[in-house]
């Protein structure tokens, strides 16, 4: 079912954008570069949504809204009783606002075609663990490491005392995913190619890169695939 949803999304993306036709000498080595060259978003709202799935928006001159970072409790040295990890789909959710949910069709459709990060993938990146002493330095460094992953958009780590004046603390990790599936396609006078780059394969944080090409002169086909853990 998930595969069918993703296929639907890719077909819509395909219809919303024109193929790029170029001469052999202008073909980039990486076909994903072809996509990044198309930066003008379409006017249609639905097409514009899928455009944002693939392309990063140009830097705006407007002043960005200040992000309020939650303050950490003074619980240094207390024992970590539980670690509660929550992973969120990329559209309509917030890492810091638990009440925010998707409100429109485009956000819900994008989320249905996305497989959330597995909790184990997040846990393996944390520098702190259950039954160990709380260290704010480890908390902040874990946040930095998580944000550095290309399949993660934002992350917020907070803590709560198990009880008033308790010597134990619960740590909450909320992760907002990035859109992880990048389709690649290219048509030229000499060959046709298409592929997919998945930056969060099955929610494990692994990267799968596949590209198929067909040379028009002799019909020779090639399949390139790589997998990084």
């Amino acid at each position: 079912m998930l595969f069918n949803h993703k296929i639907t999304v890719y077909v819509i993306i395909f219809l919303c954008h024109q193929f790029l036709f170029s001469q052999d000498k202008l073909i980039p080595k990486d076909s994903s570069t072809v996509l990044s060259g198309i930066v003008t978003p379409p006017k249609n709202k639905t097409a514009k949504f899928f455009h944002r799935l693939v392309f990063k928006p140009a830097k705006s001159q407007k002043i960005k809204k200040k992000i309020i970072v939650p303050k950490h409790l003074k619980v240094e040295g207390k024992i970590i009783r539980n670690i509660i990890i929550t992973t969120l789909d990329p559209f309509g959710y917030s890492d810091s606002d638990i009440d925010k949910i998707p409100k429109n069709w485009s956000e819900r459709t994008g989320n249905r075609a996305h497989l959330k990060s597995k909790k184990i993938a997040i846990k393996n990146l944390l520098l702190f663990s259950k039954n160990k002493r709380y260290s704010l330095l480890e908390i902040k460094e874990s946040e930095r490491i998580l944000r550095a992953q290309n399949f993660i958009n934002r992350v917020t780590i907070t803590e709560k005392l198990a009880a008033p004046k308790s010597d134990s603390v619960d740590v909450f990790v909320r992760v907002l995913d990035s859109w992880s599936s990048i389709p690649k396609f290219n048509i030229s006078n000499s060959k046709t190619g298409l592929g997919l780059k998945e930056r969060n394969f099955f929610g494990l944080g692994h990267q799968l890169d596949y590209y198929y090409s067909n040379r028009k002169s002799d019909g020779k086909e090639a399949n390139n695939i790589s997998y990084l853990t």
Side-chain angles (χ1 to χ4, degrees), residues 112-131:
R112 280 195 291 267
H114 176 263
L115 184 62
K116 290 190 297 185
S117 297
K118 302 293 185 185
K119 293 181 180 180
I120 187 63
I122 305 303
K123 184 178 180 180
N124 288 339
L125 296 171
L126 300 178
L127 298 180
F128 54 91
S129 58
K130 187 177 178 180
N131 297 325

Side-chain angles (χ1 to χ4, degrees), residues 201 205-209 226-229:
F201 188 66
H206 299 174
Q207 180 172 299
L208 174 69
D209 198 341
S226 63
Y227 186 81
L228 301 175
T229 60

Side-chain angles (χ1 to χ4, degrees), residues 160-179:
K160 182 179 180 180
L161 287 172
K165 298 182 180 181
S166 173
D167 62 350
S168 299
V169 62
D170 294 332
V171 179
F172 298 84
V173 183
R174 283 177 62 85
V175 174
L176 179 66
D177 281 356
S178 291
W179 177 259

Side-chain angles (χ1 to χ4, degrees), residues 15-228:
L15 294 176
C16 292
H17 301 282
Q18 294 181 339
F19 275 126
L20 179 65
F21 293 86
S22 61
Q23 298 297 325
D24 292 349
K25 61 181 181 179
L26 297 178
I27 299 174
K29 292 182 180 180
D30 186 350
S31 59
S32 62
T33 307
V34 175
L35 285 176
S36 62
I38 309 174
V39 295
T40 304
K43 295 181 180 180
N44 180 273
K45 290 183 178 180
T46 301
K48 187 182 296 184
F49 165 75
F50 287 108
H51 185 278
R52 290 199 302 268
L53 295 184
V54 181
F55 306 110
K56 292 183 177 180
K59 292 183 178 180
S60 173
Q61 298 298 323
K62 296 182 180 179
I63 299 176
K64 294 183 178 179
K65 184 178 180 181
K66 186 178 180 180
I67 299 174
I68 300 176
V69 180
K71 293 183 178 180
H72 291 283
L73 300 179
K74 295 180 180 180
V75 292
E76 191 76 20
K78 292 184 181 293
I79 301 300
I80 299 176
R81 185 181 66 168
N82 292 307
I83 299 175
I84 299 91
I85 298 174
T86 303
T87 58
L88 305 165
D89 284 317
F91 307 112
Y93 291 102
S94 169
D95 62 305
S96 57
D97 185 356
I98 62 175
D99 296 323
K100 188 176 180 181
I101 60 174
K103 296 180 179 179
N104 56 57
W105 175 88
S106 59
E107 290 176 339
R108 292 192 295 270
T109 300
N111 288 338
R112 280 195 291 267
H114 176 263
L115 184 62
K116 290 190 297 185
S117 297
K118 302 293 185 185
K119 293 181 180 180
I120 187 63
I122 305 303
K123 184 178 180 180
N124 288 339
L125 296 171
L126 300 178
L127 298 180
F128 54 91
S129 58
K130 187 177 178 180
N131 297 325
K132 300 295 184 181
R133 292 194 178 275
Y134 178 98
S135 168
L136 182 57
L137 178 61
E138 292 179 350
I139 295 294
K140 290 186 175 181
E141 186 63 13
S142 295
E143 287 180 327
R144 186 195 65 79
I145 292 173
L146 288 171
R147 292 192 186 104
Q149 308 306 307
N150 58 16
F151 61 91
I152 293 176
N153 185 2
R154 293 188 56 80
V155 57
T156 296
I157 300 179
T158 56
E159 55 283 311
K160 182 179 180 180
L161 287 172
K165 298 182 180 181
S166 173
D167 62 350
S168 299
V169 62
D170 294 332
V171 179
F172 298 84
V173 183
R174 283 177 62 85
V175 174
L176 179 66
D177 281 356
S178 291
W179 177 259
S180 60
S181 302
I182 310 298
K184 302 188 292 185
F185 45 86
N186 179 39
I187 290 182
S188 71
N189 292 332
S190 62
K191 65 180 180 180
T192 301
L194 57 89
L196 173 69
K197 184 175 183 178
E198 175 56 61
R199 299 179 297 183
N200 193 12
F201 188 66
F202 277 96
L204 297 173
H206 299 174
Q207 180 172 299
L208 174 69
D209 198 341
Y210 172 75
Y211 191 74
Y212 163 84
S213 61
N214 179 281
R215 192 163 58 193
K216 295 181 179 180
S217 60
D218 56 7
K220 187 175 181 179
E221 299 178 337
N223 293 276
N224 296 311
I225 186 169
S226 63
Y227 186 81
L228 301 175

